[in-house]
Amino acid sequence: MPHRTTPSGSPPPARPGRRPRRGPRRARAVAALSLGAALLTAAPVQAAANPYERGPAPTEASIEAVRGPFATAQTTVSPLSVSGFGGGTIYYPTSTAEGTFGAIAMSPGYTADQTSLAWLGPRLASQGFVVLIIDTLTRLDQPASRGRQLEAALDYLTQRSSVRTRIDATRLGVMGHSMGGGGTLEAAVDRPGLQAAIPLAPWNLTKSWTGVRVPTMVIGAESDTIAPVASHSIPFYTSIPAASEKAYLELDNASHFAPNTSNTTIAKYSVSWLKRFIDNDTRYEQFLCPAPQGDRAISDYRDTCPHT
C-alpha cells in the first residue's frame, strides 16, 4: 500500500492506541553517544599516566631516607660466571607488584673494589632500581676499560642474570667513582640510548665530552686533590651539550673519597636524577629544578633547568 502523507509532506500522526516505534532507536542512539563521549573523556587520562612510576609520591624525607619504600635483597655474581667484568653484587627490590624496574651498573675507582660503594646499592634498590656494583677485571683498569665493563654488566643484568625478569631493559643507567666515574662518561658516549649517568668525583684524562647524549649529573668534591674539580668535574660538565640535560653538584669541603661512605647528599640527588630520567618520573623534578638553595652540603650547583 502506498505510504500516505499529509498535505505538508510529513508522515501522518500515529493511529490511536499504537505507540510510536522510534523510542527504542532513539534511546540506543543516546546511549551510544554517551558511551562514545565517555571513551573520549577517558582516553587522555590513560595516555597521561606514567607506566614507569614506582613507589609513593616523594618527599624531602623520603629521598633522604637510608631506605626507601621497597624491601630489597641481594645476590652475589661470581667472576667465574661472567665475562667482560669481574663479578659483583646485585641489589634489587623483592616485589614486582608495581612492575619491572630500571637498572643501574656501578663501577668503583682505581685500586678499589665493589665494597667501596656498597652503601649505595641497597639505598638505590630500596627506591625502586636493580643495581649491580661491579668488581673490575683488575684494580688498575683505566676509565675506558671501566666503561666497557659497565656496558658488559648491563648486558649481563638484562640478558643472563637471575633478576633479568625484574628489569625493563629499555631503562638503564650507569654510575661510578673516580676512574669508575671516568668510565661512566665513556659508557655514556658509547651508549647514547642510556637514560642516565652519574659520575662521582670522576677522573679521566679526556676533558671534552661533547659526544655525551645521556642525561648526566656530575657530582664533584670541592676539596678533591686527586681529581680536582677545576680540571675534572667542571670541564666534564661544561663540555656536555646542554641539550643532553645535565647538572653539576659540588659537595662542600668534601674529599675525593666522599662517595666511599654513606652520604645523604649524594644519595638524595642520585635518587632524584635516576627517578627523573630512568623512570621519567616528573614527581622528582621538584628536587632538581629550580636548583637547590640554602643547602650547606652543596658548594656549587649548575643545571639546564627546566628539563624537557
Side-chain angles (χ1 to χ4, degrees), residues 18-293:
R18 179 177 293 180
R19 295 179 180 273
R21 300 183 63 183
R22 293 183 295 171
R25 292 181 181 178
R26 179 176 296 172
R28 286 195 296 270
V30 171
L33 288 171
S34 299
L35 177 60
L39 291 172
L40 288 172
T41 302
V45 175
Q46 291 180 334
N50 176 10
Y52 305 132
E53 285 184 3
R54 301 290 180 266
T59 64
E60 194 81 22
S62 75
I63 62 172
E64 291 183 350
V66 174
R67 290 294 179 270
F70 293 92
T72 66
Q74 65 187 68
T75 184
T76 300
V77 179
S78 168
L80 301 177
S81 66
V82 297
S83 61
F85 66 104
T89 302
I90 301 172
Y91 305 86
Y92 61 94
T94 55
S95 172
T96 56
E98 293 190 39
T100 54
F101 300 96
I104 303 149
M106 194 181 309
S107 169
Y110 188 68
T111 75
D113 62 19
Q114 60 168 306
T115 61
S116 66
L117 294 170
W119 69 273
L120 194 49
R123 194 156 180 168
L124 294 180
S126 70
Q127 294 285 352
F129 297 101
V130 175
V131 182
L132 171 52
I133 305 180
I134 69 170
D135 279 322
T136 48
L137 295 171
T138 79
R139 295 194 180 206
L140 306 181
D141 292 333
Q142 297 297 299
S145 173
R146 291 170 191 264
R148 291 190 295 271
Q149 291 179 60
L150 286 170
E151 295 178 58
L154 289 177
D155 291 341
Y156 170 77
L157 268 180
T158 57
Q159 299 170 19
R160 297 182 298 281
S161 75
S162 61
V163 298
R164 62 188 180 278
T165 58
R166 299 173 181 270
I167 297 171
D168 179 348
T170 67
R171 297 188 288 126
L172 305 175
V174 286
M175 296 181 66
H177 173 231
S178 191
M179 283 196 181
T184 296
L185 292 165
E186 301 273 359
V189 169
D190 197 46
R191 292 201 180 182
L194 294 174
Q195 272 64 57
I198 304 179
L200 305 169
W203 186 100
N204 201 307
L205 291 176
T206 300
K207 305 304 178 185
S208 178
W209 297 95
T210 57
V212 170
R213 297 293 180 268
V214 177
T216 299
M217 171 176 273
V218 178
I219 298 181
E222 183 184 27
S223 300
D224 191 336
T225 58
I226 295 174
V229 293
S231 56
H232 289 77
S233 292
I234 291 175
F236 298 166
Y237 167 80
T238 302
S239 67
I240 297 170
S244 301
E245 301 294 5
K246 61 180 181 176
Y248 172 64
L249 186 156
E250 187 176 285
L251 301 169
D252 184 65
N253 198 32
S255 79
H256 183 69
F257 301 102
N260 295 150
T261 56
S262 182
N263 186 298
T264 297
T265 303
I266 290 175
K268 69 185 285 188
Y269 291 103
S270 293
V271 166
S272 298
W273 193 262
L274 297 170
K275 283 285 192 179
R276 174 62 182 84
F277 291 103
I278 289 182
D279 288 355
N280 194 32
D281 194 337
T282 55
R283 297 179 301 174
Y284 288 81
E285 182 79 354
Q286 62 182 302
F287 308 112
L288 302 169
C289 296
Q293 299 291 329

